Amino acid sequence: MATENKNLSQYNKAELPNVAGSKFAIITSEWNNHITFNLRDGAKDTLIDLGANPDDITLHEVPGSFELIYGADKVAQTHPDLDGIIVVGCVIRGATAHFDYVCQGVTQGVKDLNIKHNMPIIFCVLTDENEQQSIDRSGGKHGNKGVEAGVAAVMMADMKKKLGK
């Protein structure tokens, strides 16, 4: 696993841009919410730590990870002034091929949204073999992947700002 022996919650604030005045949305899957809500909170707290005003961060929830695509598309269409969107989900392998179809669909869907919209859409969807791996990556022994998504959103919002809207 790529995150083995790494803490995803560590970043150097001095090396990252301040995003004061930037606007973000976080769209979170309610499925596996004991994991996804931790990821969402990690992303939101990171955005605030790096200068975003809490009032400039909107939170939305969708039923599952597959619905993140529609949710992000609608938010991007109705709020083109956003500097970035983070989609948060968790898909845990089960006994059927459902895992593969959901993971592939969500990955491709978020990729397509990044091409379609003039804003970065950050992928924070855990695709783990078991629940413990997801727990470990959502505030457990490997830190919180949501923090990493927050850092990525800040970096991409800064890139968007530097290159022009």
Side-chain angles (χ1 to χ4, degrees):
M1 181 159 75
T3 56
E4 193 167 357
N5 300 320
K6 293 182 183 175
N7 186 324
L8 303 171
S9 299
Q10 296 175 344
Y11 60 89
N12 185 342
K13 187 174 176 177
E15 294 177 355
L16 295 168
N18 183 299
V19 289
S22 296
K23 296 179 181 181
F24 298 94
I26 303 174
I27 303 162
T28 306
S29 166
E30 292 179 326
W31 193 260
N32 292 317
N33 64 18
H34 63 293
I35 294 164
T36 60
F37 289 4
N38 287 340
L39 296 168
R40 175 202 61 203
D41 294 346
K44 181 181 177 188
D45 292 347
T46 300
L47 293 173
I48 293 167
D49 185 49
L50 294 172
N53 183 324
D55 293 335
D56 289 333
I57 303 169
T58 58
L59 304 178
H60 306 273
E61 294 174 6
V62 296
S65 289
F66 207 79
E67 292 78 22
L68 290 167
I69 302 162
Y70 179 84
D73 189 41
K74 284 299 176 193
V75 169
Q77 286 177 30
T78 57
H79 300 285
D81 61 326
L82 287 173
D83 295 290
I85 295 174
I86 301 172
V87 295
V88 177
C90 175
V91 186
I92 300 171
R93 186 177 297 280
T96 69
H98 181 74
F99 172 88
D100 298 312
Y101 295 119
V102 172
C103 292
Q104 288 173 7
V106 174
T107 302
Q108 292 301 315
V110 173
K111 181 265 302 174
D112 292 344
L113 293 175
N114 270 289
I115 294 168
K116 177 180 178 180
H117 295 289
N118 185 32
M119 70 184 67
I121 300 176
I122 307 301
F123 186 86
C124 182
V125 180
L126 300 183
T127 56
D128 292 317
E129 294 294 319
N130 58 61
E131 183 180 27
Q132 188 59 53
Q133 287 179 343
S134 295
I135 291 168
D136 290 346
R137 297 171 74 210
S138 62
K141 70 180 181 179
H142 294 303
N144 188 322
K145 186 90 172 154
V147 171
E148 186 178 307
V151 169
V154 164
M155 293 173 71
M156 294 306 294
D158 186 60
M159 178 183 191
K160 178 184 175 191
K161 186 178 291 186
K162 286 178 180 173
L163 295 176
K165 296 185 180 198

